[in-house]
């Protein structure tokens, strides 16, 4: 049995995360994709996101999704750690627990391997990497033109993915969420207390 390790903020998880994870799982004949949400402190301090759902909220979102998708599961290993573990540490921990994984990510992360990651060679050689080709990226060309990536190319499996979900991003979802949240607050200030449930009424009108 083999698994795909899919780490990230998932802030929040989107249809693209679900569809592409399942697509990669089938293409690589993996048993399951293991979603691994990162700690909120890492999102805020290292990634400087404009807004982050809490660790528990993001885990619960992924758990609810995975309950309806047999090819997907979620782990809270990194959320329970005192400090954000490195990807290599998490892969080793999962292997020790009986879940040997390949690292799964989108092609937007490919060039970051050289400068933004630790223990890349160990990850590539001990576990393997699966790169989902997105947004018209030519991953083969990216690898060939980069000496560092070229040295690891035998350990990197490239999967072209359908265009259907390429335009969906967690960033856009967060922006829409914050806009909607502010709009609801503005609406509440203009309504009498008796109509506080107007949001539920509007939702039923959809």
């Amino acid at each position: 049995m083999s698994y795909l390790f899919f780490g990230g903020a998932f802030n929040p998880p989107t249809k693209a995360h679900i569809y592409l994870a399942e697509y990669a799982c089938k293409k690589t004949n993996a048993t399951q994709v293991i979603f691994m949400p990162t700690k909120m402190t890492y999102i805020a301090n290292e990634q400087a996101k404009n807004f982050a759902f809490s660790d528990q909220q993001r885990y619960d979102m992924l758990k609810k999704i995975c309950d309806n998708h047999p090819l997907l599961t979620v782990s809270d290993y990194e959320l329970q750690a005192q400090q954000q573990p490195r990807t290599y540490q998490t892969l080793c921990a999962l292997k020790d627990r009986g879940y040997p994984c390949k690292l799964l990510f989108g092609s937007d992360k490919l060039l970051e391997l050289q400068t933004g990651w630790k223990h890349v060679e160990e990850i590539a050689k001990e576990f393997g990497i699966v790169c989902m080709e997105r947004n018209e990226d030519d991953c083969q060309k990216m690898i060939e033109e980069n000496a560092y990536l070229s040295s690891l190319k035998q350990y990197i499996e490239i999967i072209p993915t359908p265009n259907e979900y390429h335009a969906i991003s967690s960033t856009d979802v967060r922006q829409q969420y914050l806009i909607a949240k502010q709009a609801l607050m503005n609406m509440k200030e203009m309504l009498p207390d008796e109509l506080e449930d107007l949001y539920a009424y509007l939702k039923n009108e959809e």
Side-chain angles (χ1 to χ4, degrees):
M1 299 174 73
S2 63
Y3 298 82
L4 297 178
F5 167 92
F6 196 3
F10 305 112
N11 183 37
T14 67
K15 288 182 177 180
H17 289 131
I18 300 166
Y19 178 85
L20 295 176
E22 290 182 323
Y23 184 84
C25 190
K26 293 173 183 176
K27 286 293 183 180
T28 59
N29 295 315
T31 304
Q32 275 185 319
V33 175
I34 301 177
F35 284 107
M36 186 68 67
T38 56
K39 295 174 74 66
M40 191 172 84
T41 51
Y42 177 79
I43 297 171
N45 297 336
E46 300 295 329
Q47 298 182 322
K49 302 291 186 182
N50 59 341
F51 169 81
F53 291 95
S54 72
D55 291 349
Q56 191 63 50
Q57 286 175 319
R58 291 179 294 113
Y59 176 80
D60 289 344
M61 290 177 191
L62 286 166
K63 182 67 168 61
K64 186 173 183 179
I65 290 168
C66 293
D67 285 345
N68 291 314
H69 294 265
L71 292 178
L72 310 178
T73 188
V74 58
S75 170
D76 64 352
Y77 172 79
E78 292 192 353
L79 297 180
Q80 296 300 324
Q82 289 188 348
Q83 294 183 339
Q84 178 65 43
R86 292 291 181 181
T87 297
Y88 178 68
Q89 295 174 303
T90 302
L91 286 167
C92 290
L94 289 173
K95 183 179 179 180
D96 290 343
R97 296 180 181 188
Y99 298 96
C101 298
K102 291 184 177 181
L103 173 63
L104 175 68
F105 56 57
S107 53
D108 57 315
K109 301 295 183 183
L110 187 57
L111 293 177
E112 295 179 11
L113 287 179
Q114 185 172 5
T115 57
W117 293 63
K118 300 290 186 181
H119 313 295
V120 175
E121 292 185 19
E122 290 89 344
I123 291 172
K125 295 176 182 179
E126 295 178 30
F127 298 98
I129 295 172
V130 177
C131 179
M132 296 180 288
E133 197 168 57
R134 301 179 59 191
N135 301 321
E136 300 182 356
D137 286 339
D138 186 342
C139 291
Q140 194 65 46
K141 183 178 180 181
M142 292 164 67
I143 292 172
E144 290 175 356
E145 293 180 349
N146 184 290
Y148 180 76
L149 294 177
S150 293
S151 69
L152 301 173
K153 65 181 180 181
Q154 63 179 307
Y155 307 106
I156 302 174
E157 180 179 357
I158 300 169
I159 300 178
T161 58
N163 294 327
E164 184 176 357
Y165 291 103
H166 287 188
I168 298 176
S169 75
S170 293
T171 300
D172 291 339
V173 174
R174 287 197 306 276
Q175 290 174 346
Q176 294 302 319
Y177 172 84
L178 293 173
I179 290 171
K181 185 177 180 180
Q182 185 62 52
L184 287 173
M185 292 176 62
N186 293 343
M187 184 176 70
K188 185 176 180 179
E189 291 179 358
M190 294 185 286
L191 291 171
D193 293 341
E194 291 81 1
L195 296 183
E196 283 187 352
D197 60 348
L198 183 59
Y199 173 68
Y201 171 79
L202 291 173
K203 190 173 182 180
N204 290 333
E205 286 292 297
E206 292 179 354

